[in-house]
Amino acid sequence: MASEDNGLGKGLLIGFLTGAAVGSIIALLFAPKSGKELREDIKKKSQDFMEDAETYLSSAKEKATQLINEGKKKSEKLVAEAKEKVDALLSEAEKILSEAKDKAGNVVQSTKEKVEKEGERLKTAIKAGVDTYRTEKEA
């Protein structure tokens, strides 16, 4: 869309400048003046025309610079906002991963303790069974 606006602006500028030049030349040619006066008028009008064109081009350059600077500021702001969001997401992901590791560690520890308890109970039961067997064998 910006390129369409740019093309339209250039077209309007060219049309304006061409119309001004043609209108000035026609006005000078139909004016009842001598050749010397006509040449001076053409010279003056062409200088005025060039000054107007320079003013317009200067204004156009200034506006283009402003648009470019605004675009840079907006893109920098978008990049900064995106970076903040990514940092927040990474921080949240690290927090979730840390919590998951803690929970997994707790589950492993709990399971390990249960297995050790059951192992002790099994050892005690086997020892009691062996003691009972020896007692009965001796009797």
Side-chain angles (χ1 to χ4, degrees):
M1 184 163 186
S3 64
E4 290 175 8
D5 290 343
N6 227 3
L8 180 63
K10 285 181 183 177
L12 287 174
L13 173 65
I14 291 170
F16 171 75
L17 295 177
T18 304
V22 170
S24 297
I25 291 171
I26 290 173
L28 290 174
L29 291 177
F30 285 104
K33 294 184 179 182
S34 69
K36 186 176 181 182
E37 289 175 337
L38 181 62
R39 284 190 300 273
E40 285 178 14
D41 284 351
I42 290 174
K43 184 178 178 182
K44 183 180 178 197
K45 290 289 182 182
S46 64
Q47 287 173 347
D48 290 346
F49 176 73
M50 290 303 291
E51 287 173 7
D52 289 345
E54 286 177 7
T55 302
Y56 182 81
L57 288 175
S58 173
S59 174
K61 284 180 185 178
E62 208 173 288
K63 287 181 181 180
T65 302
Q66 280 180 330
L67 289 173
I68 289 170
N69 289 339
E70 286 175 13
K72 283 181 183 178
K73 287 178 185 176
K74 286 180 182 178
S75 66
E76 288 172 358
K77 182 179 176 184
L78 288 173
V79 167
E81 288 174 357
K83 186 177 184 289
E84 286 177 18
K85 288 179 182 178
V86 167
D87 288 344
L89 287 173
L90 287 175
S91 175
E92 187 66 25
E94 287 176 6
K95 180 180 173 185
I96 291 170
L97 181 61
S98 176
E99 288 174 0
K101 283 181 181 179
D102 289 345
K103 287 180 183 177
N106 290 341
V107 169
V108 167
Q109 183 65 30
S110 174
T111 304
K112 183 178 175 183
E113 289 172 1
K114 286 180 184 177
V115 168
E116 287 175 356
K117 274 186 184 177
E118 292 299 319
E120 288 297 322
R121 284 180 42 193
L122 186 59
K123 284 181 187 177
T124 305
I126 291 173
K127 186 176 178 188
V130 169
D131 288 343
T132 305
Y133 174 72
R134 284 186 187 161
T135 305
E136 288 203 16
K137 187 176 176 187
E138 290 177 4

